[in-house]
Amino acid sequence: MMKTLTFALLALSSTSINVFANSTISANEMTLNKDGQVTFTRAEVGIEERQGVLVNTATTYYSPKVWINGNLKPFFVGSTNGNQFCEERGHNQEISGSTITCGEDESAYGNFDWYNQLWTMKSTGSKNQCYQLYATIKCQ
């Protein structure tokens, strides 16, 4: 079963647009699609008025994960991984503002293989350090 969330904004007059200007729309329930490569638990969409038109300034995804061999996995922080996640969600790139969490020793997490164009598992080893994973990712 696929769940979807749709946003609709109705501007009744020029003053009603200002109510939404420079706002963030938050959603707690988004589409989780096993056919896609990436997913998340929650998203916040930044909206700003530019020349009388509402535009999406950035989207922040919480608990981003990737599908690897039928399982959802957190993934390593890095420009290739970040940009790939954003592109798969329909954005151009990752932008400043993402946050990290630490992965554990002797675990494996998602890593995008640019040459083969697929998400793969990459082991952390056991160096007793923080293995940087995305807690949130901000896309534009």
Side-chain angles (χ1 to χ4, degrees), residues 5 7 25-31 40-44 62:
L5 175 66
F7 291 112
I25 296 174
S26 180
N28 288 324
E29 194 171 313
M30 300 301 279
T31 300
F40 53 94
T41 58
R42 183 170 74 99
E44 289 182 0
Y62 290 78

Side-chain angles (χ1 to χ4, degrees), residues 5-79:
L5 175 66
T6 305
F7 291 112
L9 299 175
L10 175 61
L12 300 174
S13 70
S14 61
T15 58
S16 65
I17 290 176
N18 292 331
V19 172
F20 298 108
N22 300 320
S23 298
T24 298
I25 296 174
S26 180
N28 288 324
E29 194 171 313
M30 300 301 279
T31 300
L32 294 179
N33 183 357
K34 278 188 136 176
D35 296 331
Q37 296 297 312
V38 299
T39 190
F40 53 94
T41 58
R42 183 170 74 99
E44 289 182 0
V45 179
I47 296 179
E48 183 176 293
E49 181 184 359
R50 293 187 185 159
Q51 299 177 347
V53 177
L54 294 177
V55 296
N56 175 351
T57 56
T59 302
T60 302
Y61 295 98
Y62 290 78
S63 298
K65 293 190 170 59
V66 296
W67 288 102
I68 302 172
N69 299 326
N71 297 302
L72 280 174
K73 296 291 182 182
F75 57 101
F76 289 105
V77 170
S79 60

Side-chain angles (χ1 to χ4, degrees), residues 104-116:
E104 297 185 19
D105 280 345
E106 300 178 16
S107 296
Y109 300 102
N111 193 56
F112 190 71
D113 177 350
W114 189 82
Y115 293 105
N116 292 310

Side-chain angles (χ1 to χ4, degrees), residues 73-140:
K73 296 291 182 182
F75 57 101
F76 289 105
V77 170
S79 60
T80 301
N81 290 344
N83 286 336
Q84 184 63 32
F85 179 93
C86 290
E87 287 175 17
E88 289 186 32
R89 292 297 313 152
H91 303 280
N92 289 328
Q93 63 188 353
E94 176 188 10
I95 61 171
S96 175
S98 298
T99 60
I100 66 165
T101 187
C102 290
E104 297 185 19
D105 280 345
E106 300 178 16
S107 296
Y109 300 102
N111 193 56
F112 190 71
D113 177 350
W114 189 82
Y115 293 105
N116 292 310
Q117 294 294 296
L118 62 111
W119 289 96
T120 61
M121 295 296 289
K122 181 178 177 184
S123 177
T124 59
S126 58
K127 296 178 185 174
N128 293 324
Q129 66 184 33
C130 173
Y131 299 94
Q132 295 182 349
L133 308 173
Y134 284 98
T136 66
I137 187 165
K138 194 168 189 175
C139 303
Q140 183 178 40

